[in-house]
Amino acid sequence: MNEIHQRVAEDIPVLTVCDREGDFYEFFSNAADLGENFLIRLVQNRMVDDGKKIFHELHQSPVAGSMVVRMGRNPKEHIPARNVKMDYHYKEVVVHCPKRRTEKHIREKLVLTAIYVHESGKKGTEWFLLTTVRVKNEKDIEKLIQCYAHRWKIERFHFILKSGCKIEKNQARNMRD
């Protein structure tokens, strides 16, 4: 994130979107220190300020709205691209630094927005998201959900670079030459 911060002009808004691999507190703290925004899919059911777990808090919160999300195809599971009606919940939460982290440069706590998105009326796709973006209304939430829904395009692009173009193999060969 430091490198992105250095390379992008200050007047260009940046939103770093990460899948579950980005769910670690040090990343959250670093982004806050740099004033950068992120949108991350949670894997850890973190404790929030009121002593409850974040997934439980979001499950218990009322549905704030619904929207249609275009889901890309999933070739591994033979699922075609489709439009999915999704309900969403959101809540501002205070996330604390894990007790095992004692470094001085890591923030003690962060105020973030937690978002729970799930298929309307049935079990299916669900995302627990966490963001630094200050949410003012449902339009802001829907924009964040759309941003996350587009992440699969980036994943496919990287897959094509690695598998189809064999970019990593070619880079290694160029370094030896």
Side-chain angles (χ1 to χ4, degrees), residues 16-88:
T16 301
V17 179
C18 299
D19 216 351
R20 292 175 275 207
E21 292 83 8
D23 182 9
F24 58 98
Y25 191 85
E26 296 78 2
F27 178 79
F28 306 165
S29 179
N30 187 34
D33 289 344
L34 294 170
E36 297 292 332
N37 284 320
F38 64 75
L39 176 64
I40 294 175
R41 184 171 176 189
L42 291 172
V43 68
Q44 298 181 53
N45 191 6
R46 298 176 177 280
M47 188 78 70
V48 290
D49 210 25
D50 58 9
K52 296 180 181 166
K53 295 287 193 164
I54 200 166
F55 295 173
H56 177 77
E57 286 285 285
L58 288 168
H59 275 292
Q60 298 303 314
S61 66
V63 172
S66 297
M67 63 185 287
V68 174
V69 175
R70 180 75 178 162
M71 303 293 284
R73 69 185 187 92
N74 184 337
K76 288 181 183 175
E77 297 180 25
H78 306 291
I79 299 172
R82 65 205 190 283
N83 292 327
V84 178
K85 185 178 180 205
M86 307 285 271
D87 292 336
Y88 57 86

Side-chain angles (χ1 to χ4, degrees), residues 93-163:
V93 295
V94 178
V95 178
H96 292 267
C97 180
K99 288 182 172 60
R100 63 180 166 70
R101 304 307 309 220
T102 57
E103 300 91 337
K104 299 284 184 225
H105 69 279
I106 298 176
R107 290 181 179 221
E108 184 181 318
K109 61 184 177 180
L110 295 165
V111 177
L112 303 168
T113 301
I115 306 166
Y116 173 47
V117 186
H118 58 94
E119 285 191 52
S120 300
K122 64 178 181 176
K123 234 179 166 48
T125 301
E126 72 174 358
W127 304 322
F128 289 95
L129 307 172
L130 199 60
T131 186
T132 49
V133 175
R134 293 289 177 224
V135 174
K136 297 177 211 86
N137 52 43
E138 276 76 32
K139 227 179 194 178
D140 292 344
I141 291 292
E142 291 179 9
K143 189 174 176 182
L144 289 166
I145 293 168
Q146 288 295 350
C147 285
Y148 186 76
H150 288 296
R151 89 187 185 304
W152 68 271
K153 293 177 185 176
I154 297 165
E155 289 175 14
R156 294 308 303 162
F157 175 74
H158 286 171
F159 175 79
I160 290 167
L161 280 177
K162 286 179 169 182
S163 300

